[in-house]
Amino acid sequence: MVFMNEWYADLAILESYLETVDYKTSTSRLKKFGIKRSVGGSVTYGLTKRSYLTPTMCREFCPNNKMYKTVLYTDRPELMEVFYEFRDLYFPGFEFTSVQLNKNYKIGRHKDIMNCGESVLVSCGDYENGLTVVEIDDIHQEFDSRLMPVVFDGSKYFHYVKDFTGTRYSCVFYRDTL
């Protein structure tokens, strides 16, 4: 067991794992959201319906669930147990196939086109501000996902991250579109 069942201590433990990840954001995502690779990044961990990385490179297929492993999942399979344990403590029963891992990624207003249903957002790190805004029925609701997991349907509602200073990590647990 990695976690201690104490929210802030467990966020620090989660952060220690997130610090070890190489955040290789795709060029199209960097360009779309105006993020500089030297500042931060975003990478998907888990399973996806998308089979290819490039036209000549394919991902590893998992016949049990008929999905493909992301490169990070193939390289770091031990992280999945960490994510499952964290989920079991703080949002038990939530089914996810992937986790979007972000470091200093101030993402602009968007909807998650590849997500199916609700997502769970958790943030950690040494940063100030950086609230997540979810637009529901023309109301801009602000959430601090360091205080508790935030559950919302990112494929249905626009959302974005407000300005922040410091180092901000976030994890978005979600199901890939079926």
Side-chain angles (χ1 to χ4, degrees), residues 138-153:
D138 295 325
I139 297 170
H140 293 219
Q141 296 183 14
E142 295 183 350
F143 299 95
D144 187 343
S145 51
R146 282 184 295 191
L147 301 178
M148 68 180 66
V150 176
V151 180
F152 67 97
D153 189 338

Side-chain angles (χ1 to χ4, degrees), residues 1 7 9-11 20 29 40-41 43-44 48 51 74 81 83 91 110 114 119 128 142-143 146 149 161 168-169 173:
M1 186 154 187
W7 178 249
D10 290 345
L11 283 183
T20 69
R29 190 167 168 92
V43 63
T44 304
T48 181
S51 63
T74 300
E81 289 305 315
F83 295 135
F91 39 99
H110 71 287
M114 299 308 295
S119 301
E128 292 182 27
E142 295 183 350
F143 299 95
R146 282 184 295 191
V161 174
R168 181 183 188 273
Y169 292 97
F173 295 77

Side-chain angles (χ1 to χ4, degrees), residues 62-117:
C62 297
N64 291 348
N65 46 36
K66 299 183 175 116
M67 296 180 82
Y68 299 87
K69 290 183 179 181
T70 63
V71 172
L72 185 56
Y73 187 15
T74 300
D75 292 347
R76 302 281 308 276
E78 75 282 1
L79 289 177
M80 189 57 83
E81 289 305 315
V82 171
F83 295 135
Y84 280 140
E85 183 182 334
F86 191 85
R87 183 264 327 253
D88 291 346
L89 284 172
Y90 296 107
F91 39 99
F94 182 81
E95 295 297 326
F96 68 93
T97 59
S98 301
V99 185
Q100 192 67 35
L101 306 176
N102 305 297
K103 178 182 180 184
N104 293 335
Y105 203 72
K106 184 187 168 286
I107 194 159
R109 184 178 184 264
H110 71 287
K111 289 183 181 178
D112 299 325
I113 59 172
M114 299 308 295
N115 296 19
C116 179

